[in-house]
Amino acid sequence: GGHVFHLLVALICGLMMWELIGMLRPGVLHLQLQKGVVTGVAVFLAAYLPVWLALPVLLLPIALGYTQLTLHRRIFSTFTAMIALSGFSMMLVRDDLGFGWMMWLVLVVVVTDIAGYFAGRIFGGPKLWPAVSPKKTWSGSVAGWFGAAIVGLLFSINAGMGVQLVIISILMSMASQIGDIAESAVKRKMGVKDSSNLIPGHGGLLDRFDGMLGAALFLLLIGLIFGFPPGLG
């Protein structure tokens, strides 16, 4: 927690931006470094600002980079917002709600991924979106939702909450899968297998955090609109 966690999240977000620019503008190393640093700094500063001021700071990398990218501007803007806002969301969860809720967020994403992987391999069946992600199946997606529901149920019992948390966990699982598919779509469009080779044998940070981008962004949105956790504001 604290400054160390903020720095870690900012570093991860900066590296994900470095990977994104590397896919959209391969070979332009100075632009990768510049956008990575700007995004990381924006995410770190946002942790110490009120929400009304943090949000414009988080979106500043889009404004600064939009004019420098003549191609794939929509992809750049969308994923820059996802990276910066999801990083901010993780810091809010850790700072305002504590370690337990941060673990809930992580476990929903991880269980969604693991349950989907094994169910897809065991049961197979119709593909979810073969043109974008040939390996993902409907059976895997549904298994991910069930896994997230179990995580939500266990946390709701521990926290003395109702079925709202189970429903939110399922919706967050869906958002996690959308993040995964969105990143797969970008890689397919750019003709790359991995977002980078930062993690030998596993690709890049975007490949590892794609589900977290969707889930954390979803949690930020419902938190801003409805308050979170349900009933606690």
Side-chain angles (χ1 to χ4, degrees):
H3 304 309
V4 175
F5 186 74
H6 298 162
L7 187 61
L8 176 63
V9 171
L11 177 62
I12 291 172
C13 290
L15 288 172
M16 285 193 288
M17 176 57 63
W18 178 82
E19 292 177 339
L20 177 65
I21 299 299
M23 288 191 291
L24 301 182
R25 288 287 302 275
V28 188
L29 297 180
H30 74 278
L31 192 60
Q32 279 185 269
L33 181 60
Q34 181 188 97
K35 297 309 160 205
V37 170
V38 168
T39 301
V41 171
V43 171
F44 185 76
L45 291 177
Y48 303 95
L49 299 172
V51 173
W52 64 269
L53 184 57
L55 293 178
V57 170
L58 289 166
L59 298 178
L60 184 61
I62 298 176
L64 295 177
Y66 193 83
T67 56
Q68 295 175 288
L69 291 168
T70 56
L71 297 173
H72 313 303
R73 284 176 167 175
R74 186 176 300 176
I75 295 174
F76 165 75
S77 300
T78 301
F79 269 84
T80 300
M82 287 178 66
I83 290 169
L85 292 174
S86 64
F88 182 59
S89 176
M90 286 187 280
M91 293 188 298
L92 280 182
V93 172
R94 181 65 185 90
D95 292 349
D96 296 347
L97 303 179
F99 181 77
W101 286 108
M102 187 66 212
M103 285 307 300
W104 164 72
L105 171 60
V106 171
L107 284 174
V108 167
V109 175
V110 170
V111 169
T112 295
D113 197 33
I114 293 175
Y117 173 79
F118 282 106
R121 288 183 65 90
I122 294 170
F123 301 112
K127 302 296 182 181
L128 180 64
W129 197 347
V132 173
S133 187
K135 295 182 180 180
K136 287 183 174 55
T137 61
W138 276 104
S139 63
S141 295
V142 174
W145 304 340
F146 273 106
I150 293 172
V151 173
L153 178 62
L154 294 175
F155 271 80
S156 68
I157 294 172
N158 182 64
M161 299 173 63
V163 72
Q164 306 104 307
L165 190 63
V166 176
I167 296 173
I168 290 173
S169 297
I170 295 172
L171 293 175
M172 201 161 68
S173 173
M174 294 178 178
S176 171
Q177 293 171 349
I178 291 172
D180 190 342
I181 291 172
E183 199 247 355
S184 296
V186 172
K187 290 191 296 185
R188 182 166 287 270
K189 183 176 180 61
M190 297 298 108
V192 297
K193 181 178 182 293
D194 298 315
S195 59
S196 78
N197 59 357
L198 280 178
I199 310 173
H202 291 272
L205 288 174
L206 269 174
D207 299 318
R208 299 298 92 197
F209 279 84
D210 49 5
M212 182 61 79
L213 294 183
L217 179 57
F218 171 79
L219 189 59
L220 176 65
L221 292 176
I222 65 168
L224 292 175
I225 297 171
F226 301 109
F228 187 86
L232 299 183

